[in-house]
Amino acid sequence: MKPETRSFYEAAVLRTIGQIAQSLDRALDLAALARGAALSPFHFHRVFRGMVGETPLEMHRRLRLERAARALLTSDAGVTAIAFDAGYETHEAFTRAFRQAYGASPSAFRQGVLDPRTGCMRPPQPELAAPSGVHYCDDPTRELVVHIATKESIMNVDIETLPALRVATVTHVGPYNGISAAFARLGALVGPAGLLRFPEAAMVAIYYDDPEVTPPEQLRADAGLVVPADVALPAGLGEQHLPAGRYAKTVHVGPYTGLGDAWSRLMGEWLPRSGQRVGEGHSYELYRNNPTNAPPEQLRTELYLPLA
C-alpha cells in the first residue's frame, strides 16, 4: 500500500475511533461513520476491522462494557442504572453480556476487590483485550492512543532457551482478565506455607486455550508461583510443569490492563511475520514485580510463547 493511501485510511480510522469514543451515551450511526470516512459502508467496515481488529459496533459495545466495569469498581451506582448507561434495556440482558465478557456477574465482579496485603495480587481488570489499545477513559482531556499495525511497529521480541519450571497453581476458568480471583486464592495458600521466601519464587499466569476460538466462559488458566523442585505443596494447590525449550519473549511495562493487548500484538503481528511456529507447551506470563511493591506504570511482565 502506498504511504499516501495508507495515510488516508489511517486518518479515516482515527477520526472514526474518536467519534466512537465520544458516542457512548447514544446509539452508533454506522452509515454516518462511513460517510465521515468518505467510504461506502461495505468498504468502510472491512477497512476499519482490518486496521483495528474489531468492527465499529464491536468497539462501541466493548467501550460501553469497560465503562460499566469501571463504574462497578469505583461507584455505588446500582447495577440496573449502570446497565441502562451501557445501552441495555434490561438488567438481564446486561448481566448476560457482562458475564460473557468478564466471566462473572456484575455483582460478583464488583465484590472481587483484592486484599492489597497479599503477595500475589492482580487487581480486577475493567479493560478487555483490544489489538488497537483503545480503551475507555473517564478523563476527556487525555489524548486517545491508537495502535495500528505497520511493519515499523512490530514489537521487540527475543527468542530464548529456558529451563523447565515447577509451578504451584490455582485453577481459573473464564475470561482471562478475571484471573485476579485465582491469584487471591493463590496468595492465601502460598503465603502461610512460606513459599514466597524462595529465591526462584515468581508469580506466573499459564494460559491453555485460544480466546479466538474458545468461548470466554470455557477459557482455562492457572495462577501460579514458581517453586523449587523438592518443596512439598500444601493442600489446595495444584502443580504444573513448564517444559524447557525455545520461547519468544517480550516485556510489557505498565499496568496489567495492557496485557491482553500485548498478547494480541505478539500473536497477531509478530508471530505471522517472524518465520517462527508455535511449539508444544503453554503460553505464560511471569511477573517481575507486583502492585504491592511497584506503581502501575512500573509493573514489568514477561510474556512467553513456546516455539517449535
Side-chain angles (χ1 to χ4, degrees), residues 96-120:
R96 284 195 300 272
F98 193 92
R99 186 186 296 276
Q100 184 176 19
Y102 289 93
S105 70
S107 297
F109 184 84
R110 168 174 269 171
Q111 294 169 4
V113 180
L114 303 184
D115 183 348
R117 294 170 297 179
T118 177
C120 299

PDB file of all heavy atoms in Angstrom, residues 96-120:
ATOM      1  N   ARG A  96     -26.120 -10.839  31.083  1.00  0.00           N
ATOM      2  CA  ARG A  96     -25.652 -11.864  30.144  1.00  0.00           C
ATOM      3  C   ARG A  96     -24.422 -11.388  29.377  1.00  0.00           C
ATOM      4  O   ARG A  96     -23.435 -12.124  29.240  1.00  0.00           O
ATOM      5  CB  ARG A  96     -26.777 -12.234  29.173  1.00  0.00           C
ATOM      6  CG  ARG A  96     -27.866 -13.120  29.755  1.00  0.00           C
ATOM      7  CD  ARG A  96     -28.714 -13.726  28.663  1.00  0.00           C
ATOM      8  NE  ARG A  96     -29.380 -12.706  27.857  1.00  0.00           N
ATOM      9  CZ  ARG A  96     -30.568 -12.180  28.140  1.00  0.00           C
ATOM     10  NH1 ARG A  96     -31.233 -12.601  29.212  1.00  0.00           N
ATOM     11  NH2 ARG A  96     -31.119 -11.263  27.360  1.00  0.00           N
ATOM     12  N   ALA A  97     -24.488 -10.163  28.863  1.00  0.00           N
ATOM     13  CA  ALA A  97     -23.363  -9.632  28.095  1.00  0.00           C
ATOM     14  C   ALA A  97     -22.133  -9.450  28.973  1.00  0.00           C
ATOM     15  O   ALA A  97     -21.000  -9.750  28.562  1.00  0.00           O
ATOM     16  CB  ALA A  97     -23.752  -8.301  27.452  1.00  0.00           C
ATOM     17  N   PHE A  98     -22.343  -8.975  30.196  1.00  0.00           N
ATOM     18  CA  PHE A  98     -21.222  -8.744  31.108  1.00  0.00           C
ATOM     19  C   PHE A  98     -20.572 -10.067  31.505  1.00  0.00           C
ATOM     20  O   PHE A  98     -19.340 -10.190  31.518  1.00  0.00           O
ATOM     21  CB  PHE A  98     -21.697  -7.993  32.350  1.00  0.00           C
ATOM     22  CG  PHE A  98     -20.567  -7.446  33.184  1.00  0.00           C
ATOM     23  CD1 PHE A  98     -20.097  -6.166  32.970  1.00  0.00           C
ATOM     24  CD2 PHE A  98     -19.972  -8.219  34.177  1.00  0.00           C
ATOM     25  CE1 PHE A  98     -19.056  -5.664  33.729  1.00  0.00           C
ATOM     26  CE2 PHE A  98     -18.928  -7.725  34.935  1.00  0.00           C
ATOM     27  CZ  PHE A  98     -18.462  -6.444  34.718  1.00  0.00           C
ATOM     28  N   ARG A  99     -21.400 -11.062  31.810  1.00  0.00           N
ATOM     29  CA  ARG A  99     -20.857 -12.358  32.201  1.00  0.00           C
ATOM     30  C   ARG A  99     -20.058 -12.987  31.053  1.00  0.00           C
ATOM     31  O   ARG A  99     -19.021 -13.610  31.271  1.00  0.00           O
ATOM     32  CB  ARG A  99     -21.977 -13.296  32.632  1.00  0.00           C
ATOM     33  CG  ARG A  99     -21.476 -14.639  33.191  1.00  0.00           C
ATOM     34  CD  ARG A  99     -22.630 -15.577  33.461  1.00  0.00           C
ATOM     35  NE  ARG A  99     -23.520 -15.070  34.488  1.00  0.00           N
ATOM     36  CZ  ARG A  99     -23.311 -15.230  35.788  1.00  0.00           C
ATOM     37  NH1 ARG A  99     -22.233 -15.875  36.214  1.00  0.00           N
ATOM     38  NH2 ARG A  99     -24.180 -14.759  36.652  1.00  0.00           N
ATOM     39  N   GLN A 100     -20.541 -12.833  29.822  1.00  0.00           N
ATOM     40  CA  GLN A 100     -19.825 -13.386  28.676  1.00  0.00           C
ATOM     41  C   GLN A 100     -18.463 -12.718  28.503  1.00  0.00           C
ATOM     42  O   GLN A 100     -17.482 -13.367  28.155  1.00  0.00           O
ATOM     43  CB  GLN A 100     -20.644 -13.221  27.405  1.00  0.00           C
ATOM     44  CG  GLN A 100     -20.008 -13.853  26.174  1.00  0.00           C
ATOM     45  CD  GLN A 100     -20.888 -13.756  24.950  1.00  0.00           C
ATOM     46  OE1 GLN A 100     -21.799 -12.957  24.884  1.00  0.00           O
ATOM     47  NE2 GLN A 100     -20.609 -14.582  23.959  1.00  0.00           N
ATOM     48  N   ALA A 101     -18.397 -11.419  28.758  1.00  0.00           N
ATOM     49  CA  ALA A 101     -17.142 -10.685  28.579  1.00  0.00           C
ATOM     50  C   ALA A 101     -16.186 -10.855  29.747  1.00  0.00           C
ATOM     51  O   ALA A 101     -14.968 -10.970  29.547  1.00  0.00           O
ATOM     52  CB  ALA A 101     -17.440  -9.198  28.378  1.00  0.00           C
ATOM     53  N   TYR A 102     -16.711 -10.904  30.987  1.00  0.00           N
ATOM     54  CA  TYR A 102     -15.858 -10.882  32.171  1.00  0.00           C
ATOM     55  C   TYR A 102     -15.874 -12.176  32.980  1.00  0.00           C
ATOM     56  O   TYR A 102     -15.113 -12.296  33.946  1.00  0.00           O
ATOM     57  CB  TYR A 102     -16.264  -9.712  33.080  1.00  0.00           C
ATOM     58  CG  TYR A 102     -15.902  -8.362  32.505  1.00  0.00           C
ATOM     59  CD1 TYR A 102     -16.817  -7.647  31.742  1.00  0.00           C
ATOM     60  CD2 TYR A 102     -14.648  -7.808  32.710  1.00  0.00           C
ATOM     61  CE1 TYR A 102     -16.492  -6.410  31.200  1.00  0.00           C
ATOM     62  CE2 TYR A 102     -14.312  -6.575  32.183  1.00  0.00           C
ATOM     63  CZ  TYR A 102     -15.241  -5.882  31.421  1.00  0.00           C
ATOM     64  OH  TYR A 102     -14.903  -4.659  30.889  1.00  0.00           O
ATOM     65  N   GLY A 103     -16.730 -13.115  32.603  1.00  0.00           N
ATOM     66  CA  GLY A 103     -16.756 -14.394  33.310  1.00  0.00           C
ATOM     67  C   GLY A 103     -17.351 -14.336  34.694  1.00  0.00           C
ATOM     68  O   GLY A 103     -17.176 -15.257  35.491  1.00  0.00           O
ATOM     69  N   ALA A 104     -18.054 -13.271  35.006  1.00  0.00           N
ATOM     70  CA  ALA A 104     -18.696 -13.122  36.312  1.00  0.00           C
ATOM     71  C   ALA A 104     -19.879 -12.180  36.155  1.00  0.00           C
ATOM     72  O   ALA A 104     -19.921 -11.362  35.236  1.00  0.00           O
ATOM     73  CB  ALA A 104     -17.721 -12.563  37.344  1.00  0.00           C
ATOM     74  N   SER A 105     -20.851 -12.292  37.048  1.00  0.00           N
ATOM     75  CA  SER A 105     -21.963 -11.357  37.037  1.00  0.00           C
ATOM     76  C   SER A 105     -21.452  -9.984  37.461  1.00  0.00           C
ATOM     77  O   SER A 105     -20.401  -9.860  38.091  1.00  0.00           O
ATOM     78  CB  SER A 105     -23.049 -11.830  37.990  1.00  0.00           C
ATOM     79  OG  SER A 105     -22.597 -11.705  39.336  1.00  0.00           O
ATOM     80  N   PRO A 106     -22.194  -8.914  37.128  1.00  0.00           N
ATOM     81  CA  PRO A 106     -21.773  -7.575  37.577  1.00  0.00           C
ATOM     82  C   PRO A 106     -21.579  -7.495  39.092  1.00  0.00           C
ATOM     83  O   PRO A 106     -20.612  -6.883  39.566  1.00  0.00           O
ATOM     84  CB  PRO A 106     -22.910  -6.678  37.103  1.00  0.00           C
ATOM     85  CG  PRO A 106     -23.467  -7.387  35.906  1.00  0.00           C
ATOM     86  CD  PRO A 106     -23.359  -8.846  36.236  1.00  0.00           C
ATOM     87  N   SER A 107     -22.468  -8.119  39.862  1.00  0.00           N
ATOM     88  CA  SER A 107     -22.350  -8.058  41.319  1.00  0.00           C
ATOM     89  C   SER A 107     -21.102  -8.783  41.803  1.00  0.00           C
ATOM     90  O   SER A 107     -20.383  -8.292  42.694  1.00  0.00           O
ATOM     91  CB  SER A 107     -23.594  -8.660  41.976  1.00  0.00           C
ATOM     92  OG  SER A 107     -24.751  -7.912  41.641  1.00  0.00           O
ATOM     93  N   ALA A 108     -20.817  -9.951  41.224  1.00  0.00           N
ATOM     94  CA  ALA A 108     -19.626 -10.706  41.629  1.00  0.00           C
ATOM     95  C   ALA A 108     -18.360  -9.956  41.240  1.00  0.00           C
ATOM     96  O   ALA A 108     -17.372  -9.940  41.990  1.00  0.00           O
ATOM     97  CB  ALA A 108     -19.648 -12.092  40.988  1.00  0.00           C
ATOM     98  N   PHE A 109     -18.360  -9.316  40.085  1.00  0.00           N
ATOM     99  CA  PHE A 109     -17.199  -8.528  39.657  1.00  0.00           C
ATOM    100  C   PHE A 109     -16.959  -7.381  40.635  1.00  0.00           C
ATOM    101  O   PHE A 109     -15.821  -7.104  41.011  1.00  0.00           O
ATOM    102  CB  PHE A 109     -17.446  -7.995  38.250  1.00  0.00           C
ATOM    103  CG  PHE A 109     -16.281  -7.249  37.657  1.00  0.00           C
ATOM    104  CD1 PHE A 109     -15.243  -7.924  37.032  1.00  0.00           C
ATOM    105  CD2 PHE A 109     -16.229  -5.862  37.716  1.00  0.00           C
ATOM    106  CE1 PHE A 109     -14.173  -7.232  36.491  1.00  0.00           C
ATOM    107  CE2 PHE A 109     -15.162  -5.162  37.170  1.00  0.00           C
ATOM    108  CZ  PHE A 109     -14.132  -5.856  36.553  1.00  0.00           C
ATOM    109  N   ARG A 110     -18.028  -6.725  41.051  1.00  0.00           N
ATOM    110  CA  ARG A 110     -17.908  -5.609  41.998  1.00  0.00           C
ATOM    111  C   ARG A 110     -17.341  -6.082  43.335  1.00  0.00           C
ATOM    112  O   ARG A 110     -16.573  -5.358  43.984  1.00  0.00           O
ATOM    113  CB  ARG A 110     -19.275  -4.956  42.199  1.00  0.00           C
ATOM    114  CG  ARG A 110     -19.355  -3.987  43.341  1.00  0.00           C
ATOM    115  CD  ARG A 110     -20.699  -3.287  43.351  1.00  0.00           C
ATOM    116  NE  ARG A 110     -20.662  -2.059  42.571  1.00  0.00           N
ATOM    117  CZ  ARG A 110     -21.735  -1.324  42.258  1.00  0.00           C
ATOM    118  NH1 ARG A 110     -22.938  -1.747  42.626  1.00  0.00           N
ATOM    119  NH2 ARG A 110     -21.612  -0.204  41.572  1.00  0.00           N
ATOM    120  N   GLN A 111     -17.662  -7.276  43.746  1.00  0.00           N
ATOM    121  CA  GLN A 111     -17.207  -7.791  45.041  1.00  0.00           C
ATOM    122  C   GLN A 111     -15.795  -8.366  44.988  1.00  0.00           C
ATOM    123  O   GLN A 111     -15.245  -8.735  46.026  1.00  0.00           O
ATOM    124  CB  GLN A 111     -18.173  -8.874  45.518  1.00  0.00           C
ATOM    125  CG  GLN A 111     -19.570  -8.349  45.833  1.00  0.00           C
ATOM    126  CD  GLN A 111     -20.585  -9.452  46.036  1.00  0.00           C
ATOM    127  OE1 GLN A 111     -20.235 -10.632  46.014  1.00  0.00           O
ATOM    128  NE2 GLN A 111     -21.844  -9.078  46.212  1.00  0.00           N
ATOM    129  N   GLY A 112     -15.201  -8.420  43.794  1.00  0.00           N
ATOM    130  CA  GLY A 112     -13.904  -9.081  43.658  1.00  0.00           C
ATOM    131  C   GLY A 112     -12.716  -8.208  43.950  1.00  0.00           C
ATOM    132  O   GLY A 112     -11.651  -8.376  43.350  1.00  0.00           O
ATOM    133  N   VAL A 113     -12.853  -7.232  44.835  1.00  0.00           N
ATOM    134  CA  VAL A 113     -11.726  -6.385  45.228  1.00  0.00           C
ATOM    135  C   VAL A 113     -10.776  -7.194  46.103  1.00  0.00           C
ATOM    136  O   VAL A 113     -11.198  -7.888  47.023  1.00  0.00           O
ATOM    137  CB  VAL A 113     -12.219  -5.134  45.977  1.00  0.00           C
ATOM    138  CG1 VAL A 113     -11.045  -4.259  46.394  1.00  0.00           C
ATOM    139  CG2 VAL A 113     -13.176  -4.344  45.092  1.00  0.00           C
ATOM    140  N   LEU A 114      -9.474  -7.081  45.818  1.00  0.00           N
ATOM    141  CA  LEU A 114      -8.484  -7.925  46.487  1.00  0.00           C
ATOM    142  C   LEU A 114      -7.890  -7.255  47.722  1.00  0.00           C
ATOM    143  O   LEU A 114      -7.840  -6.034  47.832  1.00  0.00           O
ATOM    144  CB  LEU A 114      -7.358  -8.264  45.508  1.00  0.00           C
ATOM    145  CG  LEU A 114      -7.799  -8.957  44.210  1.00  0.00           C
ATOM    146  CD1 LEU A 114      -6.580  -9.300  43.397  1.00  0.00           C
ATOM    147  CD2 LEU A 114      -8.611 -10.186  44.509  1.00  0.00           C
ATOM    148  N   ASP A 115      -7.414  -8.079  48.615  1.00  0.00           N
ATOM    149  CA  ASP A 115      -6.688  -7.612  49.795  1.00  0.00           C
ATOM    150  C   ASP A 115      -5.294  -7.187  49.346  1.00  0.00           C
ATOM    151  O   ASP A 115      -4.502  -8.015  48.890  1.00  0.00           O
ATOM    152  CB  ASP A 115      -6.597  -8.742  50.818  1.00  0.00           C
ATOM    153  CG  ASP A 115      -5.912  -8.296  52.105  1.00  0.00           C
ATOM    154  OD1 ASP A 115      -5.311  -7.193  52.121  1.00  0.00           O
ATOM    155  OD2 ASP A 115      -5.964  -9.052  53.088  1.00  0.00           O
ATOM    156  N   PRO A 116      -4.922  -5.889  49.459  1.00  0.00           N
ATOM    157  CA  PRO A 116      -3.614  -5.436  48.972  1.00  0.00           C
ATOM    158  C   PRO A 116      -2.444  -5.991  49.760  1.00  0.00           C
ATOM    159  O   PRO A 116      -1.302  -5.832  49.344  1.00  0.00           O
ATOM    160  CB  PRO A 116      -3.712  -3.905  49.122  1.00  0.00           C
ATOM    161  CG  PRO A 116      -4.712  -3.696  50.208  1.00  0.00           C
ATOM    162  CD  PRO A 116      -5.711  -4.811  50.054  1.00  0.00           C
ATOM    163  N   ARG A 117      -2.690  -6.680  50.854  1.00  0.00           N
ATOM    164  CA  ARG A 117      -1.585  -7.206  51.647  1.00  0.00           C
ATOM    165  C   ARG A 117      -1.030  -8.506  51.074  1.00  0.00           C
ATOM    166  O   ARG A 117       0.051  -8.939  51.445  1.00  0.00           O
ATOM    167  CB  ARG A 117      -2.053  -7.440  53.080  1.00  0.00           C
ATOM    168  CG  ARG A 117      -2.423  -6.159  53.823  1.00  0.00           C
ATOM    169  CD  ARG A 117      -3.100  -6.464  55.143  1.00  0.00           C
ATOM    170  NE  ARG A 117      -4.372  -7.170  54.937  1.00  0.00           N
ATOM    171  CZ  ARG A 117      -5.146  -7.575  55.936  1.00  0.00           C
ATOM    172  NH1 ARG A 117      -4.800  -7.358  57.189  1.00  0.00           N
ATOM    173  NH2 ARG A 117      -6.290  -8.204  55.683  1.00  0.00           N
ATOM    174  N   THR A 118      -1.761  -9.155  50.194  1.00  0.00           N
ATOM    175  CA  THR A 118      -1.267 -10.421  49.662  1.00  0.00           C
ATOM    176  C   THR A 118      -0.096 -10.189  48.726  1.00  0.00           C
ATOM    177  O   THR A 118      -0.042  -9.194  48.018  1.00  0.00           O
ATOM    178  CB  THR A 118      -2.382 -11.185  48.924  1.00  0.00           C
ATOM    179  OG1 THR A 118      -1.815 -12.383  48.380  1.00  0.00           O
ATOM    180  CG2 THR A 118      -2.932 -10.381  47.762  1.00  0.00           C
ATOM    181  N   GLY A 119       0.832 -11.116  48.704  1.00  0.00           N
ATOM    182  CA  GLY A 119       1.980 -11.007  47.805  1.00  0.00           C
ATOM    183  C   GLY A 119       1.676 -11.488  46.408  1.00  0.00           C
ATOM    184  O   GLY A 119       2.540 -11.439  45.540  1.00  0.00           O
ATOM    185  N   CYS A 120       0.485 -11.984  46.154  1.00  0.00           N
ATOM    186  CA  CYS A 120       0.100 -12.481  44.832  1.00  0.00           C
ATOM    187  C   CYS A 120      -1.108 -11.696  44.351  1.00  0.00           C
ATOM    188  O   CYS A 120      -2.194 -12.245  44.172  1.00  0.00           O
ATOM    189  CB  CYS A 120      -0.207 -13.971  44.869  1.00  0.00           C
ATOM    190  SG  CYS A 120       1.183 -14.988  45.365  1.00  0.00           S
TER     191      CYS A 120
END
